[in-house]
Amino acid sequence: MIGVWVVVLTVLANGFSSTGIGMDNSTIPDFVNIGVLYSFNTSVGRIVKIAVEAAVEDVNADPSILGKTKLNVSLQEDSKYRGFLSIAEALQLMATHTVAIIGPQTSTTAHVISHIANELQVPLLSFSATDPTLSSLQFPFFIRTAFSDIYQMTAIADLVNYYEWREVIAVYGDDDHGRNGIGALGDKLAERRCKISFKAPMSPEATREEITDVLVQVALAESRVIVIHTSTAWGPKVLTVAKSLGMMENGYVWIATNFLSTRLDVDSPLSSDVMDEIQGVITLRMYIPDSKHKRVFASRWKDLTSGKTANGSLGLSTYGIFAYDTVYLLARALDTFFKQGNQITFSSDSKLSQLHGDNMHLDAVKIFNEGKLLLKNIYAVNMTGVSGPFKYTSDGNLVNPAYEIINVIGTGTRRIGYWSNYSGLSIVPPDTLYSKPPNRSSAGQKLLTVIWPGETAEKPRGWVFPNNGRMLKIGVPKRVSYPDFVSQVQGTDMFKGFCIDVFLSAVNLLPYAVPYKFIPYGDGHSNPSNTELVRLITAGVFDAAVGDITITTERSKMVDFTQPFIESGLVVVAAVKKTESNAWAFFTPFTPMMWTVTAIFCLVVGAVVWILEHRLNKDFRGPPRKQIITTLWFSLSTMFFAHRENTVSTLGRFVLLIWLFVVLIINSSYTASLTSILTVQQLSSPIKGIGSLINSKEPIGYLQGSFTRNYLIAEIGIDESRLVPLKTPEESTKALEKGPRKGGIAAYVDERAYIELFLSSRCGFTVVGQEFTRNGWGFAFPRDSPLAVDMSTAILELAENGDLQRIHDKWLLSIACLSQGAKLEVDRLNLRSFWGLYLLCGLACLLALFVYLIQTLRQYYKHCPTEPESSSGRGSGSSHFRTFLSFVDEKEDIVKSRSKRRQMEKISYRSTSEVGSSISNTEYYQPSSNRIDCTNEV
């Protein structure tokens, strides 16, 4: 690289002055030199020249900026704005002691000149070199005064994601601007799980024939979403060729970067022929908010361009506005620079002075000593320009980057929305959203209706099958077992089976033709690994896989699966034997705990009813032996609703009602369970499910080639040495029949879809335990394949219209083995199913006893009042308790009659007594006589 600079400096050294213009006085200079490096013979260059000259004139006329110092502009024609001479022209401009350069026009030139700017410390300000890589630390003196292409590519990625496309084709110029812009687009698409499926680079000097060759390859590709990122000079040529090739018809999507919007603004109005070539194209334009400054400048633009263009009027584009603001940015930075007391000085580069030669005068190239200070002041400017708020962020980019999204329609354009780095896609101007919280949700992203190529408002699908004669290579497992699901027709390359019929039916529902061919995978002697088949899709060997492929986590990380077309989780199959009935089968419906609790409650309820009925009901009175027998008989007879004793108390009836309800439920459950035991064939197996297999050490069989092996090892934790691969159902049958003691297996683990077919003709086995995984089968496609989405929709349609069930019945519906209706052992009724009933009954008993106790105590204190305690108080507690028990045991009618008789005696004593002392003695001793009477009578 040093050699290049030496050659350049050698060529130009003779044209440079050997003495520099230094400024070593302390006064502010009368003028400051700035340079402009653009190709003024292009439309963009002409706009820039007019805008810069107008801005310089306005700055020099404004005494509030720079005071008496004037800007002196040197316009340097960049006639070869992407070649070697551009470097020479830049060096000529820097040799005039310029403090800053506005330009260059292209990113390619900016990459080279930025090295010179770094060496000479001259700020380089450009609004058209939008290559994202120019913002790196490698080019500290490059200042972008417009939005970086990183934001434009983010907007395009959001646009692609909004319309749910997953792949795009990139057409771009093969230079720094094109390559780096498309590289940024690829990164942003990847963040949204999208990608560039095909890159079509073109030379910036490409001829029509070369453009045609590239676009023909694009037309043969799968994606129909095309992003074109070129320059204003030759980008329209690409669209013209695309129109001639029929690539502007229905089904295509064209997204152009801001080169197209620039042309629409500058050369407006375009001819009808040109507009016909770009109908339906979407393009982006840097968003400039509406303001008074913008409206004034737009009205002034006509006067500025009047008489200055030989080829007609020049429309105002965003480049013209940013060029105008760039001059003001530099002027304000210089104004702050001088107010800080800084001076403009230049010095020789010591590195260049070490190079000697007869014809090399390298001392003409000077370093701007205060370049870093000016650079710092430029980044610190905070102003409001024609383009709106003009301020830099910490990463050197302008604040609030935003774009308008434009749709070319008819003879003009229509804005369908906006994009901003703050809130994404919206239909309202971004500056109205900055005061609100950002809304990046999918529901918050909105755009207006687009008229796509082909004059249709229906969103294009975005892809087609490649029109290159290539058929989809679909891998199909060539299995040894279960041919009903998928198998190859003998002697042909055709396949049949349940999975094949589902695939064909789904393909027939697609709104487009799918060219494909089945390719067998496997040697035909053993079951191939479906995981390896899926991995071959990622390697590009197959375009899809069709068959009995289980959707697992590992496989889902490699490919995209369709909607499952059959549910199939893992189950355990074991050998079973018939259980014969015995003489004690009637004990089987209940567990021992259930029998025990039922018996206890039966006795408890009988005792509670006896307590509640004993004082009222003659059936529950008599000698103790009779009462015990009556209570036991009553308790047992209620189990069969055969009790003869009547309940007369309200509390007794309440308890009996609750208990009879419990008995009804228990009897019904017992009858149903016993009926099932005696009428349904019972089977037994030492294996109860996956849990018992984990705890045992016996061998387990699995279908070779399935995911079962890895799942049992990694997820269940079963030792690999216990697993036995089996190729066919016949091998599985023999292994199960042998059992683990004779070299066979204790159980066989496989997917339910296989097991249902396996058990349909094998009566000696059955499923034990529950299904312990939830999986399904699907068709596999490459990641982000749009065909996977369409096939999923077709499978759902098959399920809704019943075709999927009919296909299932055709291949998998067979006569089940008679033993499949048998029960695996006995479903015994346990306490867990009835504890709520027993709890209800227990609470009812406790409540009734509590109410009965309160009532009895009230009667006791009412009919048997206590006498005052003696001074000693000895033995009173036990005496009262015995009296209370005697009262409780007494029949209630006798207590009430005695109490009534006692009250009559009291009245008789009061009416006949005439002697005061006799009455007093009678009243004093009455309580004692009452207590004696109550006790003696009881």
Side-chain angles (χ1 to χ4, degrees), residues 21-27 343-346:
I21 301 176
M23 293 188 182
D24 36 7
N25 58 335
S26 60
T27 61
Q343 300 179 9
I344 296 178
T345 61
F346 293 87

Side-chain angles (χ1 to χ4, degrees), residues 331-349:
R332 293 186 182 278
L334 285 169
D335 185 50
T336 304
F337 175 84
F338 289 130
K339 289 179 179 179
Q340 293 171 348
N342 298 312
Q343 300 179 9
I344 296 178
T345 61
F346 293 87
S347 62
S348 300
D349 191 345

Side-chain angles (χ1 to χ4, degrees), residues 189-202:
L189 287 172
E191 293 175 4
R192 294 152 180 81
R193 290 198 63 184
C194 305
K195 66 177 181 179
I196 300 175
S197 61
F198 182 72
K199 292 183 178 181
M202 299 184 188

